[in-house]
Amino acid sequence: KAGVTQTPRYLIKTRGQQVTLSCSPISGHRSVSWYQQTPGQGLQFLFEYFSETQRNKGNFPGRFSGRQFSNSRSEMNVSTLELGDSALYLCASSLGGRSDGLDTQYFGPGTRLTVL
Amino acid sequence: AQSVTQLDSQVPVFEEAPVELRCNYSSSVSVYLFWYVQYPNQGLQLLLKYLSGSTLVKGINGFEAEFNKSQTSFHLRKPSVHISDTAEYFCAASSGGSYIPTFGRGTSLIVHP
Protein backbone atom coordinates (compact mmCIF):
# COMPACT_ATOMS: atom_id res chain seq x y z
CA LYS A 1 0.00 0.00 0.00
CA ALA A 2 1.45 3.37 -0.96
CA GLY A 3 2.23 5.80 1.84
CA VAL A 4 1.26 9.43 2.21
CA THR A 5 2.55 11.51 -0.65
CA GLN A 6 3.12 15.23 -0.66
CA THR A 7 3.76 17.46 -3.62
CA PRO A 8 5.83 19.35 -4.33
CA ARG A 9 8.71 18.28 -2.08
CA TYR A 10 10.46 21.65 -2.35
CA LEU A 11 9.11 25.08 -3.12
CA ILE A 12 10.56 28.58 -3.24
CA LYS A 13 8.27 31.61 -3.13
CA THR A 14 8.64 35.32 -2.46
CA ARG A 15 6.92 37.40 0.17
CA GLY A 16 3.37 38.33 -0.67
CA GLN A 17 2.76 35.38 -2.95
CA GLN A 18 0.43 32.54 -2.17
CA VAL A 19 1.14 28.82 -2.25
CA THR A 20 -0.83 25.59 -2.44
CA LEU A 21 0.51 22.32 -1.12
CA SER A 22 -1.01 18.94 -1.87
CA CYS A 23 -1.34 15.75 0.15
CA SER A 24 -2.58 12.36 -0.99
CA PRO A 25 -3.48 10.09 1.93
CA ILE A 26 -3.06 6.36 2.21
CA SER A 27 -5.81 4.57 0.34
CA GLY A 28 -8.86 4.17 2.57
CA HIS A 29 -7.85 6.91 4.98
CA ARG A 30 -10.44 9.64 5.38
CA SER A 31 -8.67 12.02 7.74
CA VAL A 32 -5.85 14.36 6.76
CA SER A 33 -3.97 16.60 9.17
CA TRP A 34 -1.43 19.32 8.48
CA TYR A 35 1.52 20.44 10.59
CA GLN A 36 4.15 23.16 10.37
CA GLN A 37 7.70 22.51 11.53
CA THR A 38 10.17 25.36 12.00
CA PRO A 39 13.41 25.67 13.95
CA GLY A 40 11.96 28.55 15.95
CA GLN A 41 8.46 27.35 16.80
CA GLY A 42 8.97 23.62 16.50
CA LEU A 43 6.11 21.39 15.44
CA GLN A 44 2.66 22.93 15.38
CA PHE A 45 -0.71 21.48 14.42
CA LEU A 46 -2.51 23.41 11.70
CA PHE A 47 -5.80 21.61 11.06
CA GLU A 48 -7.47 18.29 10.41
CA TYR A 49 -9.99 17.42 7.73
CA PHE A 50 -12.36 14.48 7.76
CA SER A 51 -14.94 13.76 5.06
CA GLU A 52 -14.33 17.15 3.43
CA THR A 53 -14.99 19.04 6.69
CA GLN A 54 -12.53 20.71 9.00
CA ARG A 55 -12.80 18.79 12.26
CA ASN A 56 -10.02 20.28 14.36
CA LYS A 57 -8.04 23.49 14.08
CA GLY A 58 -4.83 24.78 15.62
CA ASN A 59 -3.95 28.36 16.40
CA PHE A 60 -2.91 29.82 13.07
CA PRO A 61 -4.05 33.01 11.30
CA GLY A 62 -6.65 32.93 8.57
CA ARG A 63 -3.94 33.13 5.90
CA PHE A 64 -3.59 29.40 6.42
CA SER A 65 -6.48 27.44 4.98
CA GLY A 66 -7.17 24.01 3.70
CA ARG A 67 -9.68 21.82 2.02
CA GLN A 68 -10.35 18.18 1.38
CA PHE A 69 -11.81 16.61 -1.70
CA SER A 70 -14.22 13.71 -2.01
CA ASN A 71 -11.32 11.33 -2.70
CA SER A 72 -9.77 12.44 0.64
CA ARG A 73 -6.89 14.28 -1.04
CA SER A 74 -6.19 17.54 0.73
CA GLU A 75 -4.68 20.87 -0.16
CA MET A 76 -3.29 23.53 2.10
CA ASN A 77 -3.10 27.15 1.03
CA VAL A 78 -1.08 29.98 2.51
CA SER A 79 -1.86 33.46 1.23
CA THR A 80 0.27 36.60 1.47
CA LEU A 81 3.41 34.69 2.37
CA GLU A 82 5.72 36.01 5.07
CA LEU A 83 9.34 35.14 5.71
CA GLY A 84 8.27 33.33 8.87
CA ASP A 85 6.18 30.90 6.83
CA SER A 86 9.38 29.19 5.69
CA ALA A 87 9.00 25.72 7.13
CA LEU A 88 8.59 22.04 6.55
CA TYR A 89 4.88 21.34 6.09
CA LEU A 90 3.90 17.84 7.06
CA CYS A 91 0.74 16.03 6.17
CA ALA A 92 -0.57 12.96 7.96
CA SER A 93 -3.45 10.65 7.22
CA SER A 94 -5.47 8.28 9.36
CA LEU A 95 -8.54 6.12 9.03
CA GLY A 96 -10.51 8.81 10.83
CA GLY A 97 -12.98 6.45 12.46
CA ARG A 98 -12.63 8.03 15.86
CA SER A 99 -14.60 11.23 16.25
CA ASP A 100 -11.92 12.57 18.60
CA GLY A 101 -9.31 12.23 15.86
CA LEU A 102 -7.07 9.94 17.88
CA ASP A 103 -6.51 7.30 15.23
CA THR A 104 -2.89 6.53 14.48
CA GLN A 105 -1.53 8.99 11.97
CA TYR A 106 0.88 8.20 9.15
CA PHE A 107 3.06 11.04 7.98
CA GLY A 108 4.31 12.04 4.58
CA PRO A 109 7.87 13.27 3.97
CA GLY A 110 6.81 16.91 3.94
CA THR A 111 7.05 19.91 1.64
CA ARG A 112 9.94 22.26 2.31
CA LEU A 113 8.74 25.83 1.68
CA THR A 114 11.25 28.65 1.48
CA VAL A 115 9.97 32.22 1.40
CA LEU A 116 12.44 34.82 0.12
CA ALA B 1 -3.68 25.30 26.96
CA GLN B 2 -1.59 22.17 27.10
CA SER B 3 2.20 22.53 27.28
CA VAL B 4 4.87 19.88 26.81
CA THR B 5 8.45 20.04 28.04
CA GLN B 6 11.20 17.79 26.82
CA LEU B 7 13.91 18.30 29.35
CA ASP B 8 16.89 17.29 27.21
CA SER B 9 17.58 18.79 23.81
CA GLN B 10 20.27 16.20 23.12
CA VAL B 11 21.00 12.78 24.60
CA PRO B 12 24.23 11.02 23.60
CA VAL B 13 24.49 7.34 24.41
CA PHE B 14 26.61 4.38 23.42
CA GLU B 15 25.21 1.50 21.39
CA GLU B 16 23.54 -1.25 23.46
CA ALA B 17 23.18 1.07 26.46
CA PRO B 18 19.75 1.89 27.91
CA VAL B 19 18.21 5.29 27.30
CA GLU B 20 15.44 7.43 28.76
CA LEU B 21 14.04 10.51 27.03
CA ARG B 22 12.10 12.70 29.40
CA CYS B 23 8.77 14.41 28.78
CA ASN B 24 6.56 16.40 31.13
CA TYR B 25 3.15 17.84 30.32
CA SER B 26 0.93 20.35 32.03
CA SER B 27 -1.76 18.84 34.14
CA SER B 28 -5.12 18.09 32.63
CA VAL B 29 -8.20 16.16 33.60
CA SER B 30 -7.92 13.94 30.57
CA VAL B 31 -4.76 13.89 28.54
CA TYR B 32 -3.59 11.86 25.58
CA LEU B 33 0.15 11.41 25.13
CA PHE B 34 2.28 10.48 22.16
CA TRP B 35 5.88 9.85 21.21
CA TYR B 36 7.02 10.32 17.61
CA VAL B 37 10.35 9.73 15.92
CA GLN B 38 11.69 11.72 12.98
CA TYR B 39 14.61 10.43 10.95
CA PRO B 40 16.59 12.93 8.84
CA ASN B 41 14.66 14.27 5.86
CA GLN B 42 11.59 12.27 6.73
CA GLY B 43 8.20 12.83 8.29
CA LEU B 44 7.20 11.70 11.75
CA GLN B 45 6.44 8.14 12.75
CA LEU B 46 4.31 7.26 15.75
CA LEU B 47 6.24 5.20 18.30
CA LEU B 48 3.48 4.81 20.87
CA LYS B 49 0.51 6.54 22.42
CA TYR B 50 -1.34 6.61 25.70
CA LEU B 51 -5.07 7.17 25.53
CA SER B 52 -6.27 5.36 28.66
CA GLY B 53 -5.82 2.12 30.57
CA SER B 54 -2.47 0.60 31.46
CA THR B 55 0.13 3.20 32.37
CA LEU B 56 2.92 1.22 30.71
CA VAL B 57 2.69 1.55 26.96
CA LYS B 58 4.71 -0.57 24.58
CA GLY B 59 5.51 0.73 21.15
CA ILE B 60 7.42 -0.16 18.04
CA ASN B 61 11.17 -0.77 17.76
CA GLY B 62 11.44 -1.89 21.39
CA PHE B 63 10.42 1.44 22.91
CA GLU B 64 8.08 1.83 25.86
CA ALA B 65 6.79 4.72 27.94
CA GLU B 66 5.17 5.07 31.32
CA PHE B 67 2.35 7.48 32.08
CA ASN B 68 2.81 8.96 35.54
CA LYS B 69 -0.15 11.12 36.46
CA SER B 70 1.21 12.35 39.80
CA GLN B 71 4.44 13.55 38.20
CA THR B 72 2.75 14.59 34.92
CA SER B 73 5.42 12.69 33.02
CA PHE B 74 5.54 10.36 30.05
CA HIS B 75 9.17 9.29 29.72
CA LEU B 76 10.30 7.14 26.81
CA ARG B 77 12.69 4.23 27.42
CA LYS B 78 14.56 1.61 25.53
CA PRO B 79 16.70 -1.03 27.28
CA SER B 80 19.30 -1.30 24.52
CA VAL B 81 19.72 1.20 21.71
CA HIS B 82 21.08 0.68 18.21
CA ILE B 83 22.88 3.03 15.87
CA SER B 84 19.70 3.11 13.79
CA ASP B 85 17.83 4.74 16.70
CA THR B 86 19.72 7.97 16.07
CA ALA B 87 16.94 10.45 15.31
CA GLU B 88 14.84 13.29 16.70
CA TYR B 89 12.15 12.29 19.18
CA PHE B 90 9.05 14.35 19.89
CA CYS B 91 6.64 14.08 22.75
CA ALA B 92 3.11 15.40 22.19
CA ALA B 93 0.01 15.87 24.31
CA SER B 94 -3.61 16.53 23.60
CA SER B 95 -6.55 17.05 25.94
CA GLY B 96 -10.18 17.96 25.95
CA GLY B 97 -11.40 14.95 24.05
CA SER B 98 -10.00 15.84 20.66
CA TYR B 99 -6.74 15.62 18.81
CA ILE B 100 -5.19 19.07 18.83
CA PRO B 101 -1.65 18.14 19.83
CA THR B 102 0.97 20.30 21.46
CA PHE B 103 4.51 19.15 20.76
CA GLY B 104 7.67 19.39 22.79
CA ARG B 105 10.77 20.93 21.23
CA GLY B 106 12.27 17.52 20.54
CA THR B 107 15.19 15.49 21.85
CA SER B 108 18.01 14.50 19.55
CA LEU B 109 19.13 10.96 20.39
CA ILE B 110 22.67 10.32 19.23
CA VAL B 111 23.86 6.73 19.44
CA HIS B 112 27.62 6.25 19.30
CA PRO B 113 29.30 2.97 18.31
Side-chain angles (χ1 to χ4, degrees), chain B residues 2-80:
Chain B
Q2 188 67 253
S3 68
V4 176
T5 302
Q6 291 184 243
L7 296 159
D8 306 297
S9 59
Q10 204 172 81
V11 172
V13 64
F14 286 106
E15 195 173 19
E16 296 184 11
V19 70
E20 178 180 83
L21 306 184
R22 297 180 292 169
C23 173
N24 286 87
Y25 62 93
S26 57
S27 181
S28 177
V29 174
S30 63
V31 64
Y32 309 117
L33 297 159
F34 309 81
W35 273 101
Y36 293 91
V37 61
Q38 185 175 33
Y39 298 102
N41 300 314
Q42 293 187 30
L44 274 68
Q45 181 181 16
L46 179 69
L47 282 174
L48 47 81
K49 61 183 176 182
Y50 170 81
L51 302 183
S52 65
S54 174
T55 57
L56 182 63
V57 182
K58 293 193 182 295
I60 62 171
N61 301 342
F63 284 94
E64 64 180 34
E66 185 151 20
F67 171 60
N68 189 318
K69 189 174 182 179
S70 63
Q71 296 190 3
T72 61
S73 68
F74 190 57
H75 300 334
L76 181 71
R77 301 186 186 101
K78 186 169 182 177
S80 175

Side-chain angles (χ1 to χ4, degrees), chain A residues 4 23 25-26 28-33 47-51 55-56 68 72 74 91-98 101-106, chain B residues 99:
Chain A
V4 177
C23 173
I26 292 171
H29 285 195
R30 298 168 62 196
S31 167
V32 173
S33 297
F47 31 65
E48 183 221 0
Y49 284 86
F50 174 74
S51 290
R55 184 160 68 173
N56 288 303
Q68 187 179 34
S72 294
S74 177
C91 160
S93 75
S94 67
L95 286 169
R98 293 182 62 130
L102 290 171
D103 303 82
T104 296
Q105 297 196 336
Y106 297 85
Chain B
Y99 185 68

Side-chain angles (χ1 to χ4, degrees), chain A residues 41-85:
Chain A
Q41 300 298 317
L43 264 165
Q44 297 183 86
F45 172 78
L46 279 155
F47 31 65
E48 183 221 0
Y49 284 86
F50 174 74
S51 290
E52 303 178 63
T53 301
Q54 188 179 86
R55 184 160 68 173
N56 288 303
K57 186 178 186 305
N59 190 26
F60 274 79
R63 298 187 298 109
F64 293 82
S65 63
R67 59 177 176 169
Q68 187 179 34
F69 301 94
S70 58
N71 62 358
S72 294
R73 189 177 69 85
S74 177
E75 288 182 347
M76 192 194 92
N77 186 75
V78 187
S79 63
T80 319
L81 283 166
E82 302 176 359
L83 294 178
D85 297 333

